[in-house]
Amino acid sequence: MNDDRISQVFGNLQELEKRVEHCKKILSRKRKYEPNLTLMLRQQEQILVKMRRTANKLQLENASEDWQNFYRSLNVFNGLRAIVQPEILQTFSELSINKAEVRA
């Protein structure tokens, strides 16, 4: 019934995970960077782990047709995404802008 929503949840999650991985790659090439960037990326990864667990739980709740918990979990996922997505996009943007300096 909610297969489209599940696909969207996992698509959103994969996009955020890819951006965090890209940020880590850029950061690993930098010689100098703010120490808080590493901490921020770790925190973002921790939230993504919780989002992954929630997404997996959504699949199970969908399969068992547990709609009350399904929609609760969907709200939890969307809340976590609303918290972490702007931070990940900002980190990605800041690192990407300075990408040319990384290769120097």
Side-chain angles (χ1 to χ4, degrees):
M1 178 180 174
N2 290 301
D3 292 338
D4 289 341
R5 287 187 183 173
I6 301 259
S7 295
Q8 185 178 12
V9 162
F10 278 99
N12 289 334
L13 182 58
Q14 288 173 349
E15 179 184 329
L16 293 172
E17 288 171 335
K18 285 179 185 177
R19 289 193 191 259
V20 167
E21 285 303 313
H22 191 69
C23 287
K24 287 169 52 179
K25 286 178 185 175
I26 293 171
L27 197 60
S28 71
R29 293 184 215 134
K30 280 188 170 265
R31 293 186 185 134
K32 292 183 180 181
Y33 58 87
E34 295 181 34
N36 68 338
L37 280 175
T38 304
L39 176 63
M40 206 165 45
L41 282 171
R42 268 193 241 130
Q43 290 171 339
Q44 291 167 357
E45 284 181 307
Q46 289 171 353
I47 293 172
L48 290 175
V49 166
K50 291 176 184 172
M51 289 174 69
R52 170 82 44 199
R53 287 183 189 143
T54 303
N56 290 334
K57 190 175 175 187
L58 268 169
Q59 277 188 310
L60 294 174
E61 292 164 348
N62 186 49
S64 66
E65 298 182 0
D66 183 357
W67 306 127
Q68 183 177 358
N69 284 322
F70 176 86
Y71 287 107
R72 185 186 60 77
S73 295
L74 185 61
N75 287 335
V76 168
F77 180 88
N78 287 331
L80 289 170
R81 184 170 59 94
I83 291 169
V84 77
Q85 186 173 22
E87 291 178 9
I88 291 173
L89 294 177
Q90 180 181 356
T91 304
F92 179 75
S93 176
E94 288 175 6
L95 288 171
S96 294
I97 290 170
N98 296 322
K99 197 172 182 179
E101 297 173 15
V102 174
R103 294 181 181 172

